[in-house]
Amino acid sequence: MYKAVKLIHRILIFACIAVTAGSLVYYLTKWGSLPDEPGIHFGSDRNFDVYASRVYGFYPHLISSITIGITAFSGWLIGRKSTGLNITEKGEKLFKAEIMLTIDVIALLVTLTFLEWTLAVSHQRALSNIVLVLIGAAFIAGGIGIIAEIITVMANKNKSAVKKGSDTFHRSCRTASWLLTVLYLPLLAFCWERLPSDDVTDQYHGLAYFANFDAYLAKWLLIVPSAVVIVILAVLEVIGSKAKKGGNEALVRFTDRLKLINGVFFFWWDLALMCEAPLGIISAGIYAALCVVCAVLYLRKRNRSDKGKYCIQKGK
């Protein structure tokens, strides 16, 4: 099975390369027909919001190439390194296959998105609705991949192996969640005066555009998600710290997972708001689903722990 996965991995990588190379060649064929400063970047309404030198039209090819490089390196790394998870050999192979294919599919969807970007720049037109479909599909693929990986870990636990501590995972989740949360603040400060992006005459001073409401609202509302996630992370820190002192590993792992989920999703939503893009129901659905999965995993592990304690007490 793993050989078949590697073959699919190579095919998807080749497809990404072919799409990127094809879009590059196509853009070069349209080079002479473009104005000196064509539209090269798109706003949340999928129309041009930046006009600059034709050289910037190579932006999608650059990003696609970086994506392909990261995907290829990830595949190489996944094939050579152990996950360190407490699962069987069969589960390890399946887990690696799921990660590899998830990354590959997302990479292909990204390159297809930038293919449409190149076509739009080449013909100086707005982005088509296919971009929204591709972006949504990438989120769905990522969500399905994560859920599949969680199920694989649950179904293939190596019960005979010695359990490892959760300090590495604990520190990683804490660091990643807080870094993402803090990183957004300087980004917002940098873009603060530029918002709203279409306010050339300063008609909406002190306001920001919120796509979900299709309205200009107080700019300070952009800080609300950051304030919310900081409160969430702080509460989880307190709960996790008390659980760690009490030796409740199930609760510690639960809070760690929630920290990571909240850090990642709130950072994404913050970026969407800053870019004046709508917050999609797909990302909200994936967020809710992951939280539910984490809660189920916690309850399952807690019940096992309670049963173990009951058996010990009964034996005494």
Side-chain angles (χ1 to χ4, degrees):
M1 181 192 71
Y2 199 61
K3 290 183 178 179
V5 171
K6 285 186 175 180
L7 177 61
I8 296 172
H9 167 69
R10 294 190 183 103
I11 291 173
L12 291 174
I13 290 290
F14 177 77
C16 292
I17 294 172
V19 169
T20 302
S23 68
L24 175 60
V25 171
Y26 188 82
Y27 182 67
L28 290 174
T29 62
K30 296 293 182 179
W31 180 271
S33 62
L34 292 172
D36 291 336
E37 291 191 350
I40 51 91
H41 191 274
F42 303 90
S44 57
D45 60 354
R46 303 196 304 279
N47 289 310
F48 291 117
D49 63 353
V50 175
Y51 292 83
S53 170
R54 288 177 292 183
V55 174
Y56 291 100
F58 293 112
Y59 167 79
H61 311 106
L62 174 63
I63 300 300
S64 293
S65 299
I66 293 173
T67 301
I68 294 170
I70 292 173
T71 304
F73 176 75
S74 299
W76 175 84
L77 193 65
I78 291 169
R80 287 177 172 266
K81 299 293 183 179
S82 171
T83 62
L85 295 171
N86 185 31
I87 54 179
T88 62
E89 183 179 352
K90 179 182 176 182
E92 176 92 358
K93 290 182 178 180
L94 181 58
F95 185 81
K96 285 184 174 183
E98 289 166 348
I99 293 179
M100 187 181 294
L101 292 180
T102 300
I103 294 173
D104 291 343
V105 171
I106 292 175
L108 180 59
L109 292 169
V110 168
T111 54
L112 289 173
T113 300
F114 282 113
L115 170 62
E116 166 58 19
W117 185 307
T118 298
L119 294 175
V121 171
S122 299
H123 294 278
Q124 289 297 282
R125 61 168 174 79
L127 289 171
S128 66
N129 291 331
I130 190 66
V131 167
L132 300 179
V133 175
L134 291 170
I135 293 174
F139 273 102
I140 292 173
I144 292 174
I146 291 172
I147 292 171
E149 289 148 20
I150 292 173
I151 293 173
T152 297
V153 172
M154 291 174 58
N156 294 277
K157 285 188 176 180
N158 190 356
K159 298 179 180 179
S160 62
V162 178
K163 292 185 177 180
K164 300 178 181 179
S166 59
D167 282 349
T168 301
F169 182 77
H170 174 70
R171 289 194 297 268
S172 299
C173 290
R174 169 187 281 179
T175 303
S177 59
W178 281 108
L179 272 178
L180 289 172
T181 301
V182 173
L183 177 62
Y184 170 70
L185 297 177
L187 289 175
L188 179 61
F190 178 75
C191 298
W192 187 265
E193 292 300 325
R194 304 182 185 184
L195 298 174
S197 61
D198 60 348
D199 190 20
V200 180
T201 60
D202 203 24
Q203 180 182 357
Y204 301 104
H205 182 75
L207 303 178
Y209 179 72
F210 291 83
N212 289 90
F213 301 102
D214 191 23
Y216 292 89
L217 304 174
K219 195 181 291 187
W220 63 265
L221 291 173
L222 292 171
I223 307 175
V224 171
S226 293
V228 171
V229 73
I230 287 173
V231 172
I232 292 174
L233 292 179
V235 171
L236 290 173
E237 284 285 354
V238 173
I239 296 173
S241 178
K242 290 183 177 180
K244 197 167 184 64
K245 289 179 180 178
N248 190 344
E249 286 299 320
L251 186 55
V252 172
R253 184 57 65 96
F254 178 51
T255 56
D256 288 341
R257 288 167 176 161
L258 288 183
K259 285 179 205 172
L260 186 60
I261 291 170
N262 280 280
V264 170
F265 276 88
F266 271 89
F267 179 70
W268 174 257
W269 292 331
D270 282 333
L271 288 181
L273 290 175
M274 189 171 64
C275 296
E276 301 178 334
L279 304 183
I281 191 171
I282 294 176
S283 62
I286 295 173
Y287 169 79
L290 289 176
C291 289
V292 170
V293 170
C294 289
V296 171
L297 290 174
Y298 164 66
L299 292 173
R300 184 177 177 181
K301 190 169 183 179
R302 189 187 68 176
N303 290 338
R304 284 181 178 177
S305 177
D306 291 343
K307 286 181 180 178
K309 291 179 181 178
Y310 174 76
C311 291
I312 292 173
Q313 291 175 355
K314 190 175 181 181
K316 290 181 179 180

